[in-house]
Amino acid sequence: MPSLTSVLGALDPTSDRAVFRQIADRLREAIDKGRFKEGDKLPSETELVEHFGVSRMTVRNALALLQQEGLAVSEHGKGVFVRPRPPARRLASDRFARRHRDQGKSAFTVEAEAAGSRPEVDSLEVKEERPSQDIAARLGSPRKVLARRRRYLLDGRPVEFATSYLPLDLTRDTPIAQLNPGPGGIYARLEEIGHHLDHFDEEIRARMPSPAEVRTLHLASGVPVIHLIRTAFDAEGRAVEVCDTVMAADAYVLSYQLPAT
Protein backbone atom coordinates (compact mmCIF):
# COMPACT_ATOMS: atom_id res chain seq x y z
CA MET A 1 0.00 0.00 0.00
CA PRO A 2 1.51 3.39 -1.01
CA SER A 3 2.08 5.91 1.75
CA LEU A 4 -0.66 8.42 2.48
CA THR A 5 1.77 11.19 1.49
CA SER A 6 2.00 9.82 -2.06
CA VAL A 7 -1.73 9.12 -2.25
CA LEU A 8 -3.18 12.22 -0.58
CA GLY A 9 -0.40 14.77 -0.55
CA ALA A 10 -0.41 17.62 1.95
CA LEU A 11 -2.71 20.48 2.84
CA ASP A 12 -2.11 24.02 1.59
CA PRO A 13 -1.59 26.23 4.66
CA THR A 14 -1.99 29.37 2.53
CA SER A 15 -5.42 28.40 1.18
CA ASP A 16 -8.53 30.12 2.48
CA ARG A 17 -10.49 26.91 1.85
CA ALA A 18 -11.63 25.22 5.08
CA VAL A 19 -9.27 22.46 6.21
CA PHE A 20 -11.96 19.77 6.26
CA ARG A 21 -12.87 20.66 2.67
CA GLN A 22 -9.22 20.40 1.64
CA ILE A 23 -9.06 16.92 3.14
CA ALA A 24 -12.26 15.97 1.32
CA ASP A 25 -10.73 17.36 -1.89
CA ARG A 26 -7.65 15.14 -1.48
CA LEU A 27 -9.75 12.05 -0.84
CA ARG A 28 -12.12 12.86 -3.70
CA GLU A 29 -9.21 13.31 -6.10
CA ALA A 30 -7.71 9.98 -4.99
CA ILE A 31 -11.07 8.27 -5.66
CA ASP A 32 -11.43 9.96 -9.06
CA LYS A 33 -7.94 8.84 -10.08
CA GLY A 34 -8.57 5.26 -8.97
CA ARG A 35 -6.14 5.28 -6.07
CA PHE A 36 -9.10 4.15 -3.99
CA LYS A 37 -11.41 1.91 -6.00
CA GLU A 38 -15.07 1.01 -5.48
CA GLY A 39 -15.44 -0.94 -2.26
CA ASP A 40 -12.00 0.07 -0.93
CA LYS A 41 -11.74 1.16 2.67
CA LEU A 42 -10.61 4.75 3.07
CA PRO A 43 -7.90 5.63 5.61
CA SER A 44 -9.19 5.55 9.17
CA GLU A 45 -9.88 8.66 11.21
CA THR A 46 -6.73 8.00 13.21
CA GLU A 47 -4.60 7.66 10.08
CA LEU A 48 -5.99 10.87 8.62
CA VAL A 49 -5.53 12.76 11.90
CA GLU A 50 -1.90 11.69 12.04
CA HIS A 51 -1.23 12.36 8.35
CA PHE A 52 -2.74 15.84 8.18
CA GLY A 53 -2.09 16.91 11.76
CA VAL A 54 -5.66 17.99 12.40
CA SER A 55 -8.37 17.25 14.94
CA ARG A 56 -10.57 14.18 14.75
CA MET A 57 -13.64 16.38 14.29
CA THR A 58 -12.05 17.98 11.21
CA VAL A 59 -11.47 14.53 9.71
CA ARG A 60 -15.03 13.45 10.54
CA ASN A 61 -16.40 16.53 8.79
CA ALA A 62 -14.35 15.68 5.68
CA LEU A 63 -15.57 12.09 5.61
CA ALA A 64 -19.15 13.23 6.23
CA LEU A 65 -18.89 15.55 3.22
CA LEU A 66 -17.88 12.64 0.96
CA GLN A 67 -20.84 10.65 2.25
CA GLN A 68 -23.20 13.56 1.58
CA GLU A 69 -21.89 13.64 -2.00
CA GLY A 70 -22.61 9.94 -2.40
CA LEU A 71 -18.94 9.03 -2.90
CA ALA A 72 -18.49 7.10 0.34
CA VAL A 73 -20.52 5.01 2.75
CA SER A 74 -19.94 4.31 6.42
CA GLU A 75 -20.24 0.80 7.82
CA HIS A 76 -20.69 0.74 11.58
CA GLY A 77 -17.65 -0.69 13.32
CA LYS A 78 -15.76 -1.19 10.05
CA GLY A 79 -14.95 2.23 8.63
CA VAL A 80 -15.72 4.37 5.60
CA PHE A 81 -15.62 2.83 2.13
CA VAL A 82 -15.70 4.09 -1.44
CA ARG A 83 -19.31 3.61 -2.48
CA PRO A 84 -19.81 0.94 -5.16
CA ARG A 85 -21.91 2.32 -7.98
CA PRO A 86 -24.51 0.16 -9.67
CA PRO A 87 -23.81 -0.84 -13.26
CA ALA A 88 -25.04 1.86 -15.62
CA ARG A 89 -28.11 1.21 -17.72
CA ARG A 90 -27.96 3.16 -20.98
CA LEU A 91 -31.16 5.01 -21.79
CA ALA A 92 -30.90 4.81 -25.56
CA SER A 93 -33.19 6.48 -28.06
CA ASP A 94 -34.45 3.15 -29.45
CA ARG A 95 -35.26 1.49 -26.14
CA PHE A 96 -38.95 1.19 -27.06
CA ALA A 97 -38.40 0.00 -30.62
CA ARG A 98 -41.00 -2.54 -31.75
CA ARG A 99 -38.33 -5.06 -32.71
CA HIS A 100 -37.56 -5.58 -29.02
CA ARG A 101 -41.19 -6.35 -28.25
CA ASP A 102 -41.33 -8.69 -31.24
CA GLN A 103 -38.45 -10.60 -29.62
CA GLY A 104 -40.44 -10.83 -26.39
CA LYS A 105 -38.13 -8.48 -24.50
CA SER A 106 -38.91 -5.38 -22.46
CA ALA A 107 -36.79 -2.24 -22.76
CA PHE A 108 -35.25 -2.88 -19.35
CA THR A 109 -34.21 -6.40 -20.31
CA VAL A 110 -32.70 -5.33 -23.63
CA GLU A 111 -30.63 -2.53 -22.11
CA ALA A 112 -29.50 -4.61 -19.12
CA GLU A 113 -28.32 -7.37 -21.42
CA ALA A 114 -26.49 -4.86 -23.63
CA ALA A 115 -24.67 -3.60 -20.52
CA GLY A 116 -23.78 -7.15 -19.47
CA SER A 117 -25.93 -6.93 -16.34
CA ARG A 118 -28.48 -9.29 -14.84
CA PRO A 119 -31.97 -7.72 -14.82
CA GLU A 120 -34.55 -8.44 -12.13
CA VAL A 121 -37.97 -7.08 -11.21
CA ASP A 122 -39.49 -7.27 -7.75
CA SER A 123 -41.97 -5.49 -5.45
CA LEU A 124 -44.70 -6.16 -7.99
CA GLU A 125 -48.15 -4.77 -7.30
CA VAL A 126 -51.13 -4.55 -9.67
CA LYS A 127 -54.33 -2.87 -8.50
CA GLU A 128 -57.29 -0.79 -9.63
CA GLU A 129 -57.41 2.71 -8.18
CA ARG A 130 -58.56 6.27 -8.74
CA PRO A 131 -55.87 8.31 -10.52
CA SER A 132 -54.38 11.53 -9.24
CA GLN A 133 -55.48 14.71 -10.98
CA ASP A 134 -52.24 14.87 -12.97
CA ILE A 135 -52.41 11.24 -14.15
CA ALA A 136 -56.10 11.58 -15.01
CA ALA A 137 -55.42 14.68 -17.11
CA ARG A 138 -52.67 12.90 -19.05
CA LEU A 139 -54.92 9.89 -19.75
CA GLY A 140 -58.05 11.77 -20.76
CA SER A 141 -59.73 11.78 -17.34
CA PRO A 142 -60.64 8.10 -16.76
CA ARG A 143 -62.50 7.46 -13.50
CA LYS A 144 -60.29 4.49 -12.60
CA VAL A 145 -56.95 3.16 -13.78
CA LEU A 146 -54.93 0.00 -13.47
CA ALA A 147 -51.73 0.78 -11.58
CA ARG A 148 -48.71 -1.49 -12.05
CA ARG A 149 -45.87 -0.89 -9.59
CA ARG A 150 -42.47 -2.58 -9.76
CA ARG A 151 -38.86 -2.15 -8.76
CA TYR A 152 -36.02 -2.86 -11.18
CA LEU A 153 -32.63 -4.24 -10.14
CA LEU A 154 -29.33 -4.67 -11.97
CA ASP A 155 -27.10 -7.43 -10.61
CA GLY A 156 -29.15 -7.40 -7.44
CA ARG A 157 -28.95 -3.63 -6.84
CA PRO A 158 -32.13 -1.50 -6.99
CA VAL A 159 -31.86 1.18 -9.68
CA GLU A 160 -35.43 2.15 -10.58
CA PHE A 161 -38.99 2.19 -9.28
CA ALA A 162 -41.83 2.66 -11.75
CA THR A 163 -45.60 2.86 -11.72
CA SER A 164 -47.58 2.47 -14.94
CA TYR A 165 -51.12 3.85 -15.07
CA LEU A 166 -53.46 2.55 -17.78
CA PRO A 167 -57.16 3.31 -18.41
CA LEU A 168 -59.16 0.52 -16.81
CA ASP A 169 -61.38 0.08 -19.87
CA LEU A 170 -58.30 -0.99 -21.87
CA THR A 171 -56.89 -3.44 -19.36
CA ARG A 172 -59.78 -5.17 -17.60
CA ASP A 173 -59.74 -8.94 -18.26
CA THR A 174 -56.48 -8.75 -20.24
CA PRO A 175 -52.99 -10.13 -19.40
CA ILE A 176 -51.98 -6.56 -18.53
CA ALA A 177 -53.93 -6.99 -15.29
CA GLN A 178 -51.75 -9.98 -14.32
CA LEU A 179 -48.53 -9.73 -12.34
CA ASN A 180 -46.66 -11.14 -15.34
CA PRO A 181 -48.18 -9.75 -18.55
CA GLY A 182 -46.06 -12.02 -20.73
CA PRO A 183 -43.19 -11.63 -23.25
CA GLY A 184 -42.56 -8.07 -24.36
CA GLY A 185 -44.38 -6.57 -21.39
CA ILE A 186 -47.46 -4.37 -21.35
CA TYR A 187 -46.61 -2.57 -24.61
CA ALA A 188 -46.70 -5.86 -26.51
CA ARG A 189 -50.07 -6.65 -24.92
CA LEU A 190 -51.47 -3.20 -25.79
CA GLU A 191 -50.59 -3.73 -29.43
CA GLU A 192 -52.13 -7.20 -29.39
CA ILE A 193 -55.48 -5.72 -28.34
CA GLY A 194 -55.39 -3.16 -31.11
CA HIS A 195 -53.54 -0.15 -29.67
CA HIS A 196 -50.60 0.16 -32.07
CA LEU A 197 -48.06 2.41 -30.34
CA ASP A 198 -47.16 5.52 -32.29
CA HIS A 199 -44.94 7.68 -30.06
CA PHE A 200 -43.89 8.48 -26.49
CA ASP A 201 -43.59 11.84 -24.73
CA GLU A 202 -41.07 12.04 -21.89
CA GLU A 203 -40.55 14.69 -19.22
CA ILE A 204 -37.30 14.41 -17.27
CA ARG A 205 -36.01 16.31 -14.28
CA ALA A 206 -33.43 15.74 -11.57
CA ARG A 207 -34.17 16.22 -7.88
CA MET A 208 -33.27 14.93 -4.45
CA PRO A 209 -35.15 11.79 -3.37
CA SER A 210 -37.90 11.47 -0.82
CA PRO A 211 -37.23 9.33 2.30
CA ALA A 212 -39.35 6.54 0.78
CA GLU A 213 -37.32 6.65 -2.45
CA VAL A 214 -34.07 6.49 -0.47
CA ARG A 215 -35.30 3.31 1.21
CA THR A 216 -36.69 1.73 -1.95
CA LEU A 217 -33.60 2.37 -4.08
CA HIS A 218 -31.06 1.95 -1.24
CA LEU A 219 -29.60 5.36 -2.05
CA ALA A 220 -26.56 6.75 -0.30
CA SER A 221 -26.71 10.23 1.18
CA GLY A 222 -26.34 12.91 -1.47
CA VAL A 223 -27.35 10.80 -4.46
CA PRO A 224 -30.07 12.49 -6.54
CA VAL A 225 -32.71 10.78 -8.64
CA ILE A 226 -33.97 11.20 -12.18
CA HIS A 227 -37.75 11.62 -12.23
CA LEU A 228 -39.20 10.64 -15.60
CA ILE A 229 -42.84 10.74 -16.67
CA ARG A 230 -43.51 8.98 -19.96
CA THR A 231 -46.83 9.01 -21.82
CA ALA A 232 -47.46 6.41 -24.53
CA PHE A 233 -49.81 7.26 -27.42
CA ASP A 234 -51.39 4.89 -29.89
CA ALA A 235 -51.84 5.49 -33.62
CA GLU A 236 -55.22 7.16 -32.96
CA GLY A 237 -53.58 9.72 -30.70
CA ARG A 238 -55.00 8.27 -27.49
CA ALA A 239 -52.83 8.23 -24.35
CA VAL A 240 -52.81 4.58 -23.33
CA GLU A 241 -50.26 4.62 -20.50
CA VAL A 242 -48.47 7.00 -18.18
CA CYS A 243 -45.33 5.65 -16.53
CA ASP A 244 -44.03 7.54 -13.48
CA THR A 245 -40.43 6.45 -12.90
CA VAL A 246 -37.78 7.33 -10.33
CA MET A 247 -34.20 6.25 -11.08
CA ALA A 248 -30.93 6.44 -9.19
CA ALA A 249 -29.11 9.20 -11.08
CA ASP A 250 -25.73 7.48 -10.92
CA ALA A 251 -27.07 4.28 -12.48
CA TYR A 252 -28.02 5.73 -15.85
CA VAL A 253 -26.45 7.25 -18.93
CA LEU A 254 -28.67 9.11 -21.38
CA SER A 255 -27.61 8.26 -24.92
CA TYR A 256 -29.26 9.64 -28.05
CA GLN A 257 -28.36 9.80 -31.73
CA LEU A 258 -29.13 13.16 -33.34
CA PRO A 259 -29.05 13.97 -37.06
CA ALA A 260 -26.17 16.10 -38.27
CA THR A 261 -28.44 18.28 -40.42
Side-chain angles (χ1 to χ4, degrees):
M1 173 70 182
S3 67
L4 287 187
T5 299
S6 63
V7 173
L8 298 178
L11 301 177
D12 180 0
T14 66
S15 174
D16 58 0
R17 187 164 173 78
V19 172
F20 82 93
R21 294 189 182 278
Q22 287 194 56
I23 296 174
D25 291 344
R26 301 294 185 274
L27 289 166
R28 189 186 304 105
E29 181 181 13
I31 293 171
D32 289 342
K33 291 184 176 179
R35 295 168 184 165
F36 296 116
K37 303 184 184 304
E38 291 186 13
D40 282 355
K41 183 179 180 181
L42 293 177
S44 68
E45 290 183 5
T46 299
E47 290 172 325
L48 292 172
V49 166
E50 293 177 353
H51 173 69
F52 289 115
V54 297
S55 70
R56 188 171 295 272
M57 183 57 65
T58 298
V59 165
R60 287 179 178 172
N61 288 339
L63 293 173
L65 182 57
L66 294 181
Q67 293 175 63
Q68 292 168 13
E69 294 174 356
L71 290 176
V73 291
S74 177
E75 296 186 16
H76 184 68
K78 295 182 179 180
V80 179
F81 297 79
V82 179
R83 176 175 174 259
R85 297 185 180 183
R89 172 191 169 198
R90 185 172 296 276
L91 294 178
S93 56
D94 72 339
R95 61 190 184 277
F96 297 117
R98 183 167 289 103
R99 67 179 184 277
H100 301 319
R101 296 194 292 279
D102 291 343
Q103 295 171 357
K105 295 181 178 181
S106 68
F108 183 76
T109 299
V110 169
E111 292 177 345
E113 290 177 351
S117 299
R118 173 173 51 87
E120 297 177 70
V121 180
D122 70 1
S123 301
L124 291 168
E125 179 188 60
V126 180
K127 61 183 295 190
E128 297 179 10
E129 62 186 43
R130 293 191 179 277
S132 68
Q133 184 175 357
D134 177 65
I135 297 298
R138 293 171 187 268
L139 288 174
S141 302
R143 294 188 52 138
K144 296 193 75 174
V145 296
L146 183 76
R148 297 183 54 88
R149 295 181 173 86
R150 65 272 188 202
R151 184 175 67 167
Y152 295 96
L153 301 89
L154 291 177
D155 297 331
R157 298 178 185 173
V159 295
E160 175 180 335
F161 186 81
T163 303
S164 287
Y165 301 95
L166 303 100
L168 194 57
D169 66 296
L170 296 186
T171 57
R172 186 183 282 116
D173 300 324
T174 72
I176 298 172
Q178 304 300 314
L179 286 177
N180 182 357
I186 62 175
Y187 290 157
R189 303 292 81 75
L190 281 169
E191 295 198 320
E192 287 174 356
I193 61 177
H195 293 275
H196 189 86
L197 296 178
D198 180 75
H199 67 278
F200 302 89
D201 287 349
E202 291 189 341
E203 303 170 21
I204 301 175
R205 66 188 179 100
R207 59 172 172 78
M208 296 309 295
S210 68
E213 291 164 348
V214 169
R215 293 191 297 271
T216 299
L217 296 176
H218 299 181
L219 297 173
S221 175
V223 175
V225 293
I226 298 171
H227 186 190
L228 183 151
I229 299 179
R230 180 179 65 252
T231 305
F233 294 87
D234 67 11
E236 303 300 320
R238 178 179 181 178
V240 294
E241 182 235 17
V242 172
C243 187
D244 190 321
T245 305
V246 177
M247 302 173 279
D250 60 352
Y252 289 85
V253 176
L254 297 176
S255 176
Y256 294 91
Q257 290 185 346
L258 300 175
T261 59

